[in-house]
Amino acid sequence: MSERLNNHHAGSTEFDIMIVGGGMVGSALACALDGHGMKVALLDAGSAPTDSVPVTTGFDPRVCALTEASRQLFVQLGAWKDMVADRVCPYKRMYVWDGEGTGNIQFGAAEMHLSSLGHIVENNVIQGALNKRLSAGDVSCLYDSKVQSIEPGFVTQVGLTDGRVYKAKLVVGADGAESKMRQLAGIPLNRRDCLHHAVVTTIETERYHDDTAWQRFSNTGPLAFLPLPDQDGKHRCSVVWSQVPEEATRIMQLDDAEFCRQLTRASEGCLGKVVAATERFSYPLRHRHVRRYYSDSVVLVGDAAHTIHPLAGQGVNLGLLDVAVLAEELIHAFERGANIAGASVLSRYQRRRMGDNLAMLGAMEGFQHLFGADALPVRWLRNAGLKLTNRLPEVKHKLIRHAMGLEGDLPRLCREQTESPAA
Ligand SMILES: Cc1cc2nc3c(=O)[nH]c(=O)nc-3n(C[C@H](O)[C@H](O)[C@H](O)COP(=O)(O)OP(=O)(O)OC[C@H]3O[C@@H](n4cnc5c(N)ncnc54)[C@H](O)[C@@H]3O)c2cc1C
């Protein structure tokens, strides 16, 4: 085990809150709970982060399109400035078009009098900034610590694969899509395979992306070119190419030159030729949602509670909204002396997040069906719909605000601050 016990919790085995999973969501929650008087531990099965290699040496093939709500959260957690110092790419426009027709829709930050619609940030830049923030705080970070059992009770016992046992009043499962905590807590899951795999990589393109996120829909799946900052005079984008599994397998097996040729064709040359690509990775995509967000003293956040097709880049953004709401409820309960693992606290969190998460999952499923359909009337309808929406500024503004995470019941941690954006 490696551990970073930077405070008076050194050697502790009992905590108020134990967060299992130190990915982007669990780490953000640990930052949000830090400094409010609770004893918090963050456990992760992986090894402790090292800072010997700068995160921006190469480009991480996995990126997130962070909404304004997520950016606000990171500003408030004190992590945004480090992301900006590493590498973030604001995008000012979105261009979405139907590869099987002539329909398209464009969104521009200028229409909303904003400087950007969102930011593309590499996963390792987000994680690096959160790790840095945690290393300066009071949360006990325990690495090489894989949870294998829990024994719920007034105080829950958390058992690790190496025999260590910890105790916590509340255990948070932030352990990703294959969550062990969800399984141990017996929380049932509704699952639906998206029948898509996402091939992700970083590419170099002939033309500059023009600060635009490009997305082409076709009946075999969406293809996204997400803008990255230029480096060494080269224009780069992150690619998420969703395809049926057999097609994804075929794409993964192409040599680099043929992959670039096929990607140029699939993108209709929107940025000229695809000149080069780094290593490709393929991920199965699933729509999943738990039937409840907590059981006894275990509560779930992020991918442990829901996974969604990345076509609208909402996955981690939903997880970060979970974080902001759960932190708000827990801090409020702790400050008024209430039981932080009590059903009244956890059910409030569930009530505030479940509807929004389910609505976003439903919308993405609808999109996928609409663009997956090959029937002529459906194709005609979606083309006409895209063209019509593009001419309706009111509807477009509503869509943009939704995509930016600025609609609905926004938790305090995600609301706009007076501080000016750092990028
Ligand atoms: C191809 C692709 C593209 C995507 N693009 C976007 C995008 O543009 N925008 C967006 O918002 N989202 C996107 N997403 C989704 C986003 O990546 C996820 O929502 C996000 O990574 C989930 O974070 P998490 O912290 O919940 O889980 P994870 O990142 O899976 O972290 C879970 C952590 O838990 C730890 N762990 C697991 N089991 C245990 C255990 N038993 N004990 C201790 N620790 C454990 C793991 O080591 C890991 O560190 C994309 C996803 C894919 C697949």
Side-chain angles (χ1 to χ4, degrees):
M1 177 200 51
S2 57
E3 73 184 282
R4 195 173 59 210
L5 296 169
N6 26 10
N7 48 56
H8 50 279
H9 303 161
S12 284
T13 54
E14 289 196 33
F15 297 91
D16 292 311
I17 300 178
M18 184 156 253
I19 303 166
V20 179
M24 293 182 279
V25 171
S27 301
L29 180 64
C31 293
L33 295 174
D34 191 20
H36 289 275
M38 292 175 272
K39 275 178 75 175
V40 180
L42 178 70
L43 267 79
D44 197 276
S47 44
T50 55
D51 36 32
S52 51
V53 182
V55 290
T56 48
T57 306
F59 281 87
D60 188 343
R62 288 197 61 171
V63 302
C64 286
L66 292 182
T67 60
E68 180 56 17
S70 297
R71 192 190 72 82
Q72 291 293 349
L73 173 70
F74 289 137
V75 169
Q76 291 213 48
L77 299 185
W80 180 247
K81 57 184 183 316
D82 287 312
M83 293 180 206
V84 174
D86 276 344
R87 191 161 57 198
V88 305
C89 188
Y91 60 97
K92 298 180 178 160
R93 284 168 288 275
M94 253 175 95
Y95 183 76
V96 179
W97 78 104
D98 187 346
E100 315 291 330
T102 54
N104 65 67
I105 188 163
Q106 297 135 51
F107 301 98
E111 294 171 38
M112 303 277 294
H113 309 290
L114 296 167
S115 55
S116 72
L117 292 175
H119 291 78
I120 307 296
V121 191
E122 293 151 82
N123 287 15
N124 65 354
V125 168
I126 299 175
Q127 189 72 58
L130 291 171
N131 291 344
K132 185 168 169 197
R133 163 70 184 74
L134 283 171
S135 68
D138 264 349
V139 172
S140 300
C141 298
L142 310 164
Y143 297 99
D144 300 313
S145 300
K146 187 168 184 175
V147 174
Q148 75 166 7
S149 66
I150 51 169
E151 223 173 274
F154 178 65
V155 173
T156 297
Q157 294 208 25
V158 178
L160 307 196
T161 46
D162 61 9
R164 275 176 292 147
V165 177
Y166 291 97
K167 289 179 183 166
K169 291 183 189 135
L170 177 70
V171 179
V172 182
D175 50 344
E178 302 305 325
S179 172
K180 180 83 176 170
M181 299 310 299
R182 183 178 66 217
Q183 183 205 325
L184 291 173
I187 297 179
L189 187 66
N190 288 327
R191 72 178 75 203
R192 229 176 59 77
D193 205 317
C194 289
L195 301 176
H196 270 171
H197 281 212
V199 175
V200 301
T201 185
T202 308
I203 56 164
E204 195 189 314
T205 55
E206 199 176 16
R207 289 206 298 269
Y208 183 57
H209 47 59
D210 204 21
D211 305 319
T212 303
W214 303 79
Q215 192 156 33
R216 176 187 186 264
F217 281 90
S218 73
N219 50 20
T220 56
L223 166 65
F225 280 11
L226 305 172
L228 292 172
D230 275 6
Q231 209 174 48
D232 313 323
K234 291 177 177 159
H235 310 312
R236 289 200 175 79
C237 283
S238 179
V239 171
V240 184
W241 195 357
S242 308
Q243 286 288 344
V244 290
E246 312 77 62
E247 189 56 11
T249 308
R250 190 190 65 77
I251 290 170
M252 287 298 288
Q253 286 163 352
L254 298 173
D255 64 41
D256 282 357
E258 187 53 27
F259 174 73
C260 291
R261 260 194 299 278
Q262 296 202 10
L263 197 50
T264 304
R265 211 166 34 236
S267 64
E268 299 177 22
C270 62
L271 297 178
K273 278 193 187 137
V274 175
V275 180
T278 59
E279 191 181 353
R280 281 159 253 160
F281 296 86
S282 172
Y283 299 95
L285 301 176
R286 291 189 178 90
H287 280 289
R288 291 173 172 179
H289 196 276
V290 282
R291 298 214 194 119
R292 50 185 313 194
Y293 282 29
Y294 67 96
S295 173
D296 294 325
S297 50
V298 176
V299 61
L300 303 177
V301 285
D303 274 21
H306 43 75
T307 54
I308 184 170
H309 195 295
L311 70 87
Q314 288 296 333
V316 87
N317 292 300
L318 297 182
L320 293 171
L321 281 166
D322 295 349
V323 163
V325 171
L326 183 60
E328 198 170 289
E329 294 297 340
L330 292 176
I331 292 164
H332 184 57
F334 182 77
E335 283 173 354
R336 64 175 203 275
N339 175 10
I340 53 172
S344 63
V345 174
L346 302 182
S347 64
R348 265 182 66 81
Y349 157 67
Q350 172 172 285
R351 215 166 34 243
R352 289 180 65 188
R353 290 305 303 143
M354 195 179 233
D356 278 3
N357 286 336
L358 277 171
M360 187 58 84
L361 245 77
M364 288 312 107
E365 281 189 359
F367 254 106
Q368 229 203 322
H369 285 135
L370 186 64
F371 283 93
D374 205 17
L376 198 62
V378 183
R379 279 165 52 189
W380 182 86
L381 255 179
R382 76 178 181 228
N383 269 287
L386 281 175
K387 284 179 193 160
L388 179 68
T389 311
N390 201 32
R391 282 189 243 115
L392 297 172
E394 298 274 300
V395 178
K396 273 173 76 176
H397 284 192
K398 193 93 184 144
L399 282 173
I400 298 176
R401 286 191 60 80
H402 222 96
M404 292 176 77
L406 297 176
E407 289 285 294
D409 163 29
L410 267 190
R412 190 187 51 75
L413 277 168
C414 293
R415 280 188 226 143
E416 192 173 356
Q417 299 301 293
T418 43
E419 176 194 330
S420 64

